[in-house]
Amino acid sequence: MLTFPSPSIRHYKDVADYREHFVRQDQIDRYLPGGKHFIDDAKILADLATAAALPKNDPARVRDILAKSRTLNTLLPEETAYLLQVDDPALLEEMERAALEIKHSVYDNRVVMFAPLYISNLCVNRCRYCGFRCDNPQERRRMLTMDEIKQEIDILAGKIGHKRLIAVYGEHPLTSTDYFAETIQTIYARQVKSPKGTNVGIRRVNVNAAPLPVEDLRVLHEVGIGTFQVFQETYHRATYERLHPQDTVKGNYDWRTTCFHRCMEAGVDDVGLGVLFGLYDWQYEVMALLYHSRDLEKWFNIGPHTISFPRMQPASGTDIPQKSPYIFDDATFRRIVIVTRLSVPYTGMIITCRESPATRDASVNWGVTQMDASSNIAIKGYSDFAHESHQEMDIQQFMLADNRTLEGLICDFAKRGIITSFCTAGYRCGRTGGCIMDALKTGKEGKFCKVNAVLTFREWLDDFASPEALKLCTPVIESELAAIQKWLPRFWPTVKEHYDRICNGERDLFF
Ligand code: SAM
Ligand code: SF4
């Protein structure tokens, strides 16, 4: 039995006690000096109003801003606010081309693959759009045991071929930081055989959970989490407070918005921002994402490792996802993603199976770098349904729109010349936080990524691909190898030596 100090949670008597004592005001206040919040409602509205008063769709102004994005520096609020006004189709095309060019210069021609692993739907909160909220009687509750987690990994790593997970938890004192740590260690420790008999397992566990105090984040750092993801849901304080009842832990806007500052303090320097799009005005939310990124850069010289774009989906026991006045169309979604790529050029960007296949396919051209596939977001969904596409409203948080298998998505990308990467080398080589920011901004990380993408894709093809997928994907890997040979001639013999060792059955070689 593994035990960890979970300083902030282990002393709670019950849920009421937890609600009352969990949030640490001192750990909020030190990141809001003088009580001034980095999300300033009046300032965001003024930025948007000023931009709206300028001549719209001015090509010269847009091109000046794109030139700045190409230097991979974060835009100023007035620049992002201007891009958000653009609605001319030709200028939007130009912005899309710049977004793709920037993505290629930082991340090269690849999409990193991961899967969500829902570990518990116990929750003390009542977020009005979420199927897991505690006052939803339709939801069947459970938290995975360590044996159940092993069964899930046997499917995810052993049958599908995933190497990287995002572990997702509701917020409840029973699923304390002790539990997080034990589940994460269980995932890392599980080694299984692939269909071809090689040893496989999960190499990077990211976490999506509620904000934690510094002491608990240190525990997660010790057990080796990758990115800590917390979606802000909405940055608009009044809307946030309406959708998250004020007698719940999640109702505290300042506790949530300062979470990543605490992460950095605790050494968890890969942080993942996100907005639940559809809860409030999309232009406001993109501006706030930018202000949040800039505040982290100001304090720690490190911006977000990733930004996610979850759009609200139907969920059990709530009609908010259908009735919100802030729902927007796919064309607007495209603008949001492109403007974010241009505004925070170095960041990884994630679009999940919440979106349709058509949107996800197109989003690769908008600058998206990471996606999930073969996803099942029911608790124990992978082992119960043997990874067939299967969805049930009362055991999952919301419904998914892209039910393609990992192999299906890989083949769809391969037909477009896009390579799928299972690389997890970055954090295992210490390339996180500020270190990875520098590597990304100078294009160095792109070189590692390209090589590691080829090595990990080769592993997946040899261990999991059907003969048809192997045939379809081989030209992609050959063209990537040729590009590496041309691009890095002095490094090539070492790359080739590693590649040959993988072809001969060795695993987990990386740069
Ligand atoms: N319980 C933690 C929390 O709220 O921070 C952890 C994550 S929650 C299980 C994962 C995320 O799912 C939420 O942060 C929210 O953005 C998203 N979500 C909730 N309801 C949703 C819905 N109806 N459609 C799409 N995403 C939703
Ligand atoms: Fe609980 Fe998170 Fe759902 Fe809110 S969004 S009800 S905190 S699981």
Side-chain angles (χ1 to χ4, degrees):
M1 164 77 178
L2 300 163
T3 51
F4 293 88
S6 178
S8 56
I9 301 185
R10 63 183 161 170
H11 304 299
Y12 294 115
K13 292 195 297 280
D14 53 25
V15 170
D17 191 35
Y18 167 69
R19 276 199 190 125
E20 196 181 327
H21 293 106
F22 184 62
V23 172
R24 309 289 188 76
Q25 195 58 42
D26 61 316
Q27 295 190 10
I28 296 174
D29 292 343
R30 60 176 171 257
Y31 295 112
L32 304 177
K36 203 171 154 18
H37 205 292
F38 50 87
I39 304 297
D40 181 337
D41 193 53
K43 177 103 185 53
I44 290 179
L45 294 177
D47 291 335
L48 288 169
T50 306
L54 292 170
K56 202 172 168 183
N57 296 321
D58 176 358
R61 192 182 290 271
V62 169
R63 283 172 198 150
D64 278 352
I65 301 173
L66 296 186
K68 163 119 179 251
S69 299
R70 287 191 180 92
T71 67
L72 307 184
N73 285 303
T74 311
L75 293 185
L76 294 169
E78 57 265 34
E79 294 165 334
T80 295
Y82 190 75
L83 292 184
L84 285 169
Q85 313 301 316
V86 175
D87 59 4
D88 172 66
L91 268 183
L92 284 171
E93 283 290 321
E94 201 170 324
M95 285 163 57
E96 178 175 320
R97 282 196 298 277
L100 185 60
E101 191 191 313
I102 288 163
K103 177 199 146 176
H104 278 170
S105 78
V106 183
Y107 290 96
D108 205 66
N109 177 34
R110 71 189 169 101
V111 173
V112 171
M113 218 40 87
F114 69 95
L117 175 57
Y118 272 66
I119 294 191
S120 164
N121 63 358
L122 271 55
C123 195
V124 291
N125 294 310
R126 304 195 303 280
C127 312
R128 293 184 50 209
Y129 45 80
C130 177
F132 288 176
R133 67 192 188 286
C134 64
D135 58 354
N136 178 15
Q138 292 174 27
E139 191 74 21
R140 282 186 271 149
R141 307 282 164 179
R142 64 189 302 176
M143 57 190 272
L144 293 182
T145 64
M146 298 311 133
D147 279 343
E148 288 170 334
I149 285 178
K150 289 176 194 161
Q151 290 168 31
E152 294 284 271
I153 300 307
D154 291 354
I155 303 289
L156 280 161
K159 298 269 185 296
I160 306 175
H162 277 296
K163 304 273 183 265
R164 156 194 294 254
L165 298 182
I166 179 110
V168 185
Y169 307 81
E171 180 169 21
H172 197 284
L174 280 177
T175 56
S176 67
T177 303
D178 291 345
Y179 176 76
F180 287 7
E182 195 178 354
T183 54
I184 293 161
Q185 289 225 318
T186 302
I187 295 170
Y188 277 135
R190 186 70 174 173
Q191 289 292 309
V192 279
K193 294 284 181 203
S194 74
K196 304 284 165 59
T198 49
N199 290 327
V200 290
I202 297 299
R203 300 174 183 162
R204 176 174 174 127
V205 183
N206 300 326
V207 170
N208 184 313
L212 294 172
V214 172
E215 297 79 354
D216 294 60
L217 289 163
R218 286 205 182 102
V219 173
L220 296 192
H221 183 49
E222 271 169 38
V223 298
I225 65 161
T227 308
F228 194 68
Q229 240 184 25
V230 176
F231 299 154
Q232 181 51 39
E233 321 304 12
T234 171
Y235 282 94
H236 187 250
R237 188 185 284 268
T239 304
Y240 185 92
E241 290 178 356
R242 187 169 49 78
L243 293 170
H244 305 98
Q246 290 304 287
D247 59 343
T248 62
V249 185
K250 186 146 168 186
N252 190 322
Y253 178 93
D254 293 340
W255 180 241
R256 200 162 180 95
T257 41
T258 51
C259 173
F260 296 134
H261 297 69
R262 290 192 295 281
C263 283
M264 300 282 178
E265 190 182 323
V268 178
D269 53 8
D270 277 357
V271 297
L273 276 61
V275 158
L276 184 56
F277 282 99
L279 294 178
Y280 190 61
D281 175 65
W282 59 275
Q283 295 196 335
Y284 185 101
E285 303 288 21
V286 175
M287 292 300 296
L289 278 170
L290 179 80
Y291 272 108
H292 199 167
S293 305
R294 292 181 65 87
D295 200 63
L296 292 170
E297 289 176 14
K298 188 185 88 189
W299 278 90
F300 306 100
N301 212 15
I302 301 173
H305 186 67
T306 55
I307 296 181
S308 297
F309 299 86
R311 256 204 291 186
M312 219 176 1
Q313 301 298 321
S316 81
T318 172
D319 59 5
I320 289 195
Q322 287 85 357
K323 291 215 169 131
S324 169
Y326 297 106
I327 304 287
F328 48 74
D329 59 11
D330 289 347
T332 305
F333 191 57
R334 169 176 174 247
R335 288 169 64 187
I336 290 171
V337 179
I338 290 172
V339 173
T340 307
R341 165 53 70 217
L342 297 169
S343 300
V344 193
Y346 57 79
T347 199
M349 302 209 315
I350 303 176
I351 291 198
T352 67
C353 291
R354 290 174 178 88
E355 294 297 327
S356 70
T359 301
R360 298 220 305 162
D361 287 349
S363 73
V364 178
N365 290 345
W366 309 337
V368 164
T369 56
Q370 291 190 32
M371 286 190 192
D372 55 334
S374 280
S375 297
N376 192 309
I377 59 169
I379 314 287
K380 207 166 170 295
Y382 295 104
S383 34
D384 278 356
F385 306 119
H387 93 84
E388 286 156 17
S389 161
H390 179 99
Q391 296 199 65
E392 276 183 59
M393 194 75 138
D394 60 349
I395 51 170
Q396 58 191 63
Q397 192 188 14
F398 48 81
M399 302 305 278
L400 298 179
D402 187 350
N403 293 302
R404 278 177 290 182
T405 62
L406 178 59
E407 178 166 295
L409 191 56
I410 285 175
C411 288
D412 285 352
F413 283 154
K415 286 179 203 153
R416 298 164 61 192
I418 297 167
I419 182 164
T420 297
S421 175
F422 294 90
C423 172
T424 55
Y427 95 104
R428 295 154 90 207
C429 299
R431 293 198 299 275
T432 64
C435 180
I436 189 128
M437 288 289 131
D438 294 342
L440 289 171
K441 286 180 184 171
T442 55
K444 278 190 203 141
E445 184 64 9
K447 291 197 176 71
F448 288 119
C449 290
K450 195 172 184 69
V451 175
N452 289 327
V454 168
L455 298 181
T456 55
F457 194 40
R458 181 78 263 163
E459 288 181 329
W460 187 85
L461 288 175
D462 289 348
D463 289 344
F464 296 97
S466 66
E468 301 75 41
L470 189 60
K471 192 164 163 224
L472 190 86
C473 295
T474 298
V476 176
I477 211 158
E478 282 171 354
S479 107
E480 291 296 306
L481 283 169
I484 294 169
Q485 190 171 9
K486 201 166 148 206
W487 191 32
L488 302 167
R490 284 177 43 213
F491 192 32
W492 168 248
T494 319
V495 174
K496 181 72 172 67
E497 187 254 340
H498 277 60
Y499 182 78
D500 289 343
R501 282 166 60 192
I502 290 201
C503 293
N504 289 328
E506 268 189 73
R507 290 290 172 265
D508 207 12
L509 305 174
F510 54 86
F511 292 94

